[in-house]
């Protein structure tokens, strides 16, 4: 019997998140192994599931055949085998690690390997469904972490009728994306919806009461000794790339699994993409770059020339509101914090609830934040993504008021 060529050997994808599912949809015959019991879904919409706006099937991605509830436990690089926890062994010609990331569990008193009852991470569909089942009007909920995920969780819990406190260790909300002025407007919006916001607030631990077989959270202890009463506590303290399989297999791992422009690891037969991949010293942790990487890798696996040169990612968030109150739209890109010598211009319209700011560095658009009215976001994003020098006649004001052709 003729031995199979490398191109005829199967593609195995470990991870059925957005990146793995996108790749599998573009690589016919790929085998996908996914730990979660659910079909692949859009993780960006988890807050909408928590708020009750969407059922789980609504956020499902286009059908991709996945071996659900199966965990890869070991990679045999010599024989190109993946060993799974159900006893199965998969042979690969090309292996793709799309293992994603895990929520960071902060080193808090009362948080160990097993979380007390009422303490929830917020990373997966099961997390969102568990929170949805636990929340009810009047329940006291504390969200630890004021980044994108924490803000989304706090807003969704408030929409469910919970009494929500958002505890952020940094100086303002969404520090990675927003400047202080935009963060202040975001805070006003959240507080108007009933969310109590604490910034520069360091959490020390959880106070729990013992039940018959487990412990239940009762309060969140702050470093200054103050306690926030809590029936529910949500840990939204960031994520960490899942690199355990890669490390055990001897691949090059720094903060993430190191890949080149073909998303190839230090083993030429193994690729990585999405949250677990570190490309040119960058970890993205966002859906947009993961999907772009999947599209590039699909071309590479098909034998066509393609290279991933990085993503200039735009962060968008819509905080929907019940009743007559308008939703709050937010977009952020690049570096919104100016450096010495940068040009900055801001426009604020209190009557429309709009705020826009851009930073120009050495004649190029370095970043910006828009909150409320996103009419200019398309044109600004194109200008930033092209990374071309701004025309001399193009004023900063024009950048902010341009509607991008809409």
């Amino acid at each position: 019997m003729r031995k199979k060529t490398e191109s005829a050997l199967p593609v195995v994808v470990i991870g059925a998140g957005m990146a793995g599912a996108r790749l599998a949809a573009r690589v016919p015959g790929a085998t996908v192994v996914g730990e979660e019991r659910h079909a692949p879904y859009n993780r960006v919409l988890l807050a909408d599931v928590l708020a009750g706006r969407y059922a789980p099937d609504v956020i499902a991605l286009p059908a991709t055949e996945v071996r659900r509830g199966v965990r890869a436990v070991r990679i045999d690089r010599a024989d190109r085998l993946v060993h799974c926890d159900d006893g199965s062994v998969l042979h690969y010609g090309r292996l793709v690690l799309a293992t994603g990331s895990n929520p960071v569990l902060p080193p808090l008193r009362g948080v160990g390997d097993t979380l007390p009852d009422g303490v929830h991470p917020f990373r997966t569909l099961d997390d969102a469904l568990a929170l949805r089942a636990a929340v009810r009007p009047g329940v006291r909920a504390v969200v630890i972490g004021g980044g994108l995920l924490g803000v989304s969780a706090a807003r969704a819990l408030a929409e469910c009728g919970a009494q929500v406190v958002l505890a952020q260790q940094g100086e303002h909300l969404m520090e990675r994306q927003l400047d202080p002025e935009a963060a202040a407007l975001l805070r006003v919006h959240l507080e108007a919806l009933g969310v109590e916001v604490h910034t520069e607030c360091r959490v020390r631990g959880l106070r729990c009461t013992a039940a018959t077989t487990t412990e239940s959270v009762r309060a969140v202890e702050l470093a200054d000794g103050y306690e926030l009463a809590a029936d529910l506590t949500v840990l939204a303290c960031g994520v960490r790339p899942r690199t355990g399989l890669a490390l055990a297999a001897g691949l090059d791992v720094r903060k993430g699994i190191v890949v080149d422009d073909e998303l190839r690891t230090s083993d030429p037969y193994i690729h990585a993409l999405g949250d677990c991949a570190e490309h040119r010293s960058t970890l993205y942790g966002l859906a947009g770059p993961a999907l772009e990487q999947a599209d590039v890798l699909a071309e590479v696996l098909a034998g066509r020339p393609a290279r991933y040169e990085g993503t200039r990612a735009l962060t968008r968030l819509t905080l929907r509101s019940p009743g007559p109150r308008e939703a709050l739209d937010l977009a952020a890109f690049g570096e919104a914090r100016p450096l010495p010598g940068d040009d900055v211009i801001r426009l604020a319209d209190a009557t429309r609830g709009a705020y826009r700011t851009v930073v120009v560095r050495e004649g190029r658009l370095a970043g910006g934040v828009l909150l409320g009215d996103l009419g200019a976001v398309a044109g600004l994003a194109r200008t930033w993504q092209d990374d071309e020098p701004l025309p001399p006649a193009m004023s900063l004001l024009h950048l902010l008021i341009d509607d991008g052709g809409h």
Side-chain angles (χ1 to χ4, degrees):
M1 179 181 292
R2 179 178 298 174
K3 185 178 179 179
K4 288 184 177 180
T5 64
E6 292 295 341
S7 61
L9 289 174
V11 173
V12 174
V13 182
I14 300 177
M18 296 178 69
R22 174 76 157 238
L23 178 67
R26 286 158 173 70
V27 179
T31 299
V32 184
V33 177
E35 289 186 27
E36 294 189 56
R37 59 187 175 90
H38 305 283
Y41 55 85
N42 187 341
R43 198 179 302 276
V44 175
L45 299 176
L46 286 180
D48 293 294
V49 173
L50 172 55
R53 277 188 295 273
Y54 296 149
D57 60 332
V58 175
I59 70 168
L61 297 173
T64 299
E65 188 156 345
V66 177
R67 299 184 59 187
R68 302 187 204 173
V70 177
R71 183 168 62 91
V73 295
R74 185 168 66 88
I75 300 169
D76 180 345
R77 290 169 54 193
D79 292 327
R80 295 191 211 163
L81 302 174
V82 175
H83 295 261
C84 301
D85 63 354
D86 63 353
S88 61
V89 179
L90 303 174
H91 188 205
Y92 65 86
R94 290 290 186 273
L95 177 63
V96 180
L97 301 178
T99 48
S101 54
N102 283 328
V104 172
L105 300 182
L108 302 176
R109 184 187 309 162
V111 175
D113 293 336
T114 301
L115 296 178
D117 284 349
V119 179
H120 299 262
F122 186 48
R123 181 63 181 162
T124 68
L125 181 53
D126 280 336
D127 294 337
L129 293 175
L131 270 170
R132 177 69 184 169
V135 71
R136 60 189 183 279
V139 73
R140 299 168 301 182
V142 176
V143 178
I144 301 174
L148 179 63
L149 196 60
V151 167
S152 299
R155 181 62 197 87
L157 290 167
E159 192 169 337
C160 294
Q163 299 175 18
V164 184
V165 176
L166 178 58
Q168 160 71 333
Q169 181 170 320
E171 294 182 359
H172 60 76
L173 298 174
M174 292 182 62
E175 285 186 311
R176 288 184 60 186
Q177 293 89 10
L178 303 186
D179 62 10
E181 291 82 1
L185 292 172
L186 173 60
R187 177 172 183 160
V188 168
H189 177 83
L190 290 171
E191 290 177 338
L193 298 171
V195 177
E196 182 180 331
V197 179
H198 295 266
T199 53
E200 299 184 86
C201 172
R202 191 165 64 86
V203 175
R204 181 172 60 189
L206 306 178
R207 183 168 61 81
C208 303
T209 57
T212 53
T213 59
T214 185
E215 292 186 324
S216 298
V217 67
R218 285 293 172 263
V220 174
E221 300 175 344
L222 304 183
D224 61 6
Y226 188 75
E227 289 189 351
L228 302 171
D231 303 305
L232 292 175
T233 300
V234 179
L235 303 177
C237 307
V239 295
R240 182 176 293 115
R242 295 185 65 184
T243 59
L245 269 177
L247 277 169
L251 300 178
D252 185 8
V253 175
R254 296 172 195 163
K255 290 182 179 179
I257 305 169
V258 178
V259 296
D260 63 14
D261 290 355
E262 291 186 332
L263 290 310
R264 197 184 310 273
T265 70
S266 52
D267 183 320
Y269 300 104
I270 302 178
H271 301 260
L273 75 167
D275 286 7
C276 68
E278 178 179 337
H279 175 260
R280 298 186 184 180
S281 301
T282 299
L283 289 167
Y284 288 98
L286 296 169
L291 298 180
E292 187 175 333
Q293 289 171 5
D295 291 343
V296 169
L297 184 51
E299 295 296 300
V300 171
L301 294 175
R304 295 186 284 268
R307 299 181 70 82
Y308 177 70
E309 298 182 349
T311 300
R312 296 172 72 82
L314 174 75
T315 298
R316 295 191 66 160
L317 175 66
T318 296
L319 296 176
R320 297 177 177 85
S321 303
R325 185 181 294 275
E326 293 185 0
L328 179 69
D329 291 313
L330 181 155
F333 58 92
E335 298 180 39
R337 294 184 178 182
L339 300 176
D342 289 348
D343 292 316
V344 181
I345 189 168
R346 294 184 177 91
L347 292 180
D349 186 341
T351 60
R352 299 171 61 191
Y355 172 85
R356 300 176 181 181
T357 181
V358 292
V359 175
V360 174
R361 182 173 302 150
E362 297 180 352
R364 287 178 166 83
L365 188 59
V369 177
L370 294 85
L371 189 144
D373 183 356
L374 302 189
V377 69
L380 286 169
R382 281 197 299 270
T383 301
W384 172 65
Q385 289 168 346
D386 290 345
D387 195 29
E388 295 292 335
L390 299 174
M394 181 183 288
S395 69
L396 296 179
L397 183 62
H398 175 70
L399 279 175
L400 286 180
I401 63 177
D402 182 28
D403 66 358
H406 296 296

